[in-house]
């Protein structure tokens, strides 16, 4: 479908920004402060290096195999059978990722808005909307995200300003009081699991209408993500201090504190809006990529034919993979960074190295 569906460089940049910050903005600050303490905001700087690596690897491979996705040119690089294993691995990875996000979403919504509603209801309605978006195509998702990004920023910027008013900069001291070790420990989660999510370029670049704009759009997106996350972590620490590392949704607690201390009430509704809109884009893009992986592996011509069955399996996965919220939090803090780093950084980098070696060997034989 690459021939009929196209997205612009601007749309690609917005997709990358929304995809990464949608879940990181509420959950990751607490995990980072758990390890990096008051210096965790510095951790984003080394963490962003995995984002740079993902941009370089995916754009380089895309230039070598124009019009193909990661799972398609993976078979050309490592051969048919290893390529199939690669496809199966990414199908499993994206299935678990979608199921995890859906469980996070239903838990978040049930905790704040619908405590008496069964979690399966929030998950089902959400997946139905995401499935409709995927059936409409990546171009429609990208156009929709342009509008949603403006709304997210419209809600987020006032919250950041109000947080800055309530914050205490002394909570950031002493800077590097424990040295660089806590900073590097705090960088593990965003470096392994979030900043390198820009590897979705491996499935989005074939749909870019002007491939030359890929690098610029991706770098601007990475810079924007880094600045935004640093700002959120700084403000969260200045408001909550050491308490940040003990809270699952630390930035949400900041927003609730603003509502109590100031003249505004129910500001968490804005946080819910940011979460729902961002997760809608993230799950839609993830479901789109998962359907592409399945269609490429089994030779299905149109990925739209399998959207609903795949979404149904993801719904089952969201209710089956994790028993409770505590198990999900442990997975996000300790297991997910390693699993994501393997799939989002190591595997694409290995494909690039293997392809480079094979090309040099061919040149030496000529």
């Amino acid at each position: 479908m690459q021939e009929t569906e196209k997205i612009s460089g601007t749309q690609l940049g917005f997709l990358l920004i929304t995809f990464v910050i949608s879940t990181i903005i509420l959950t990751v600050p607490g995990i980072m402060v758990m390890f990096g303490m008051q210096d965790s905001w510095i951790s984003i700087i080394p963490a962003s290096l995995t984002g740079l690596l993902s941009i370089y690897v995916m754009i380089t491979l895309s230039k070598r195999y124009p019009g193909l996705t990661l799972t398609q040119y993976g078979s050309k690089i490592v051969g048919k059978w290893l390529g199939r294993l690669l496809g199966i691995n990414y199908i499993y990875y994206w299935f678990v990722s979608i199921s995890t996000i859906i469980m996070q979403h239903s838990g978040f919504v049930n905790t704040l808005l619908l405590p008496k509603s069964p979690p399966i209801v929030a998950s089902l309605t959400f997946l139905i909307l995401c499935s409709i978006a995927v059936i409409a195509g990546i171009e429609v998702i990208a156009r929709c995200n342009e509008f949603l990004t403006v709304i997210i920023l419209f809600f987020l910027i006032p919250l950041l300003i109000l947080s800055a008013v309530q914050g205490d900069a002394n909570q950031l001291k002493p800077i590097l009081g424990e040295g660089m070790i806590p900073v590097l420990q705090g960088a593990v989660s965003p470096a392994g699991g979030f900043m390198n999510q820009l590897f979705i370029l491996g499935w989005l670049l074939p749909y870019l209408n002007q491939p030359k704009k890929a690098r610029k759009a991706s770098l601007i997106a990475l810079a924007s993500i880094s600045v935004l996350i640093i700002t959120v972590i700084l403000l969260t620490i200045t408001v909550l201090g050491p308490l940040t590392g003990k809270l699952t949704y630390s930035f949400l607690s900041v927003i609730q504190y603003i509502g109590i201390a100031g003249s505004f009430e129910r500001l968490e509704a804005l946080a819910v809006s940011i979460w729902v809109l961002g997760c809608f884009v993230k799950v839609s893009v993830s479901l789109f990529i998962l359907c592409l992986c399945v269609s490429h592996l089994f030779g299905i011509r149109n990925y739209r034919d399998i959207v609903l069955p795949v979404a149904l399996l993801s719904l089952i996965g969201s209710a089956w993979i994790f028993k409770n919220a505590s198990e999900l939090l442990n997975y996000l803090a300790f297991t997910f960074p390693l699993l994501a780093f393997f799939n989002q950084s190591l595997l694409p980098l290995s494909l690039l190295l293997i392809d480079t070696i094979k090309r040099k060997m061919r040149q030496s034989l000529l």
Side-chain angles (χ1 to χ4, degrees), residues 17 55 195 198 217-229:
I17 293 171
I55 292 172
M195 303 304 284
L198 299 182
S218 302
L219 290 174
I220 292 175
L222 177 61
S224 302
I225 293 165
S226 301
V227 170
L228 182 58
I229 300 304

Side-chain angles (χ1 to χ4, degrees), residues 14 40 43 53 61 67-68 107 167 191 194 201 232 239 244 248 256 261 266 270 274 280 292 294 317 321 328 342 350:
F14 280 139
S40 56
S43 301
L53 178 65
L61 286 171
L68 299 182
F194 294 96
L201 288 167
V232 168
V239 173
T244 304
T248 303
Q256 291 173 325
R266 303 298 294 176
L270 296 181
I274 293 170
F280 165 73
L292 280 183
V294 174
I321 293 178
L328 173 62
F342 174 76
S350 299

